[in-house]
């Protein structure tokens, strides 16, 4: 996979969990493009930068003392 130069896009679901999806394919239901497109390694690096809290959004909200 290291020589995989296909284009991917970063997608995120309503729980703010990230994944990558082939840029050539329609995004699966329940997922939304986050605006970043690149090679597989570039997309994974982007996810490493932006997905700093792995807990699903619903759990983060439930654990929020102000919520």
């Amino acid at each position: 996979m290291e020589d995989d130069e296909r284009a991917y896009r970063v997608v995120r679901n309503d729980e703010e969990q990230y994944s990558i999806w082939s840029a050539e394919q329609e995004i699966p239901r329940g997922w939304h493009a986050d605006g970043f497109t690149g090679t597989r390694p570039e997309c994974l690096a982007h996810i490493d930068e932006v997905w700093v809290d792995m807990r699903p959004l619903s759990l983060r909200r439930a654990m929020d003392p102000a919520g």
Side-chain angles (χ1 to χ4, degrees):
M1 291 266 178
E2 308 225 348
D3 59 347
D4 182 1
E5 291 298 320
R6 291 179 289 178
Y8 291 88
R9 67 180 127 203
V10 175
V11 294
R12 184 178 69 205
N13 65 19
D14 292 336
E15 287 286 339
E16 296 186 352
Q17 297 167 310
Y18 287 82
S19 187
I20 63 171
W21 196 254
S22 172
E24 297 175 3
Q25 295 181 324
E26 186 175 328
I27 297 173
R29 199 166 161 188
W31 293 84
H32 315 280
D34 100 323
F36 187 90
T37 303
T39 64
R40 180 182 179 91
E42 290 168 340
C43 287
L44 294 175
H46 173 74
I47 291 172
D48 281 343
E49 289 178 24
V50 298
W51 196 8
V52 295
D53 189 339
M54 303 293 278
R55 298 174 297 164
L57 179 60
S58 57
L59 178 60
R60 293 194 316 264
R61 286 181 175 158
M63 296 180 73
D64 183 2

